[in-house]
């Protein structure tokens, strides 16, 4: 497994975008502001910090996604171990993802890059 992305809720999306770009001087990796997300690169690392606009994603929480080979396989395996997922696997632009809570209520997720849907 590798880190995939780190998601942070943004109460004030425009101010948060400005802070990460102008104050922290992070480079924009992709900008999907129209749907309420913008990603910032951290050095040469592939994982990004992705801000999610709370106005468009009101229930968003800080989330860490890990990259796996096959989300659907991990979903089936972890269901058998009693993990409760927030939803079944769902398609994203690059493949599939799932999210769940750890015992402390932190949101974790898995994603793969199997773009066939």
């Amino acid at each position: 497994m590798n880190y995939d992305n780190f998601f942070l809720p943004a109460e004030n999306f425009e101010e948060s975008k400005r802070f990460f770009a102008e104050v922290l001087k992070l480079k924009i990796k992709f900008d999907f502001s129209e749907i309420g997300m913008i990603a910032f690169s951290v050095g040469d690392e592939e994982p990004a910090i992705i801000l999610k606009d709370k106005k468009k994603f009101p229930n968003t929480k800080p989330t860490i996604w890990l990259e796996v080979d096959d989300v659907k396989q991990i979903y089936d395996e972890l269901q058998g171990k009693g993990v409760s997922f927030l939803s079944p696997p769902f398609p994203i632009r690059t493949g599939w993802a799932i999210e769940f809570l750890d015992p402390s209520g932190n949101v974790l997720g898995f994603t793969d890059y199997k773009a066939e849907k």
Side-chain angles (χ1 to χ4, degrees):
M1 281 187 224
N2 294 308
Y3 284 114
D4 183 64
N5 289 304
F6 306 91
F7 296 87
L8 297 176
E11 296 288 339
N12 182 325
F13 192 63
E14 293 304 317
E15 181 61 21
S16 294
K17 284 173 34 177
R18 187 197 68 72
F19 178 81
F20 278 80
E22 296 175 18
V23 175
L24 298 182
K25 302 283 190 206
L26 296 178
K27 183 177 76 174
I28 294 173
K29 183 173 183 175
F30 63 76
D31 188 347
F32 298 142
S33 290
E34 70 279 0
I35 63 166
M37 292 193 302
I38 186 169
F40 292 92
S41 296
V42 180
D44 295 329
E45 298 294 325
E46 185 60 30
I49 295 172
I50 301 175
L51 300 179
K52 292 180 82 173
D53 187 347
K54 291 270 300 188
K55 290 183 181 98
K56 295 187 179 187
F57 300 95
N59 297 321
T60 196
K61 293 181 178 183
T63 304
I64 298 171
W65 276 12
L66 304 173
E67 181 185 346
V68 296
D69 290 330
D70 189 330
V71 161
K72 293 176 184 177
Q73 177 185 345
I74 294 287
Y75 176 77
D76 290 341
E77 288 175 19
L78 293 182
Q79 274 193 314
K81 294 180 179 180
V83 173
S84 295
F85 290 90
L86 300 176
S87 71
F90 54 91
I92 57 173
R93 292 180 187 229
T94 55
W96 290 90
I98 51 176
E99 292 182 329
F100 57 95
L101 300 176
D102 74 5
S104 296
N106 299 303
V107 180
L108 300 173
F110 292 117
T111 186
D112 64 30
Y113 286 84
K114 295 178 176 242
E116 77 278 351
K117 296 181 178 86

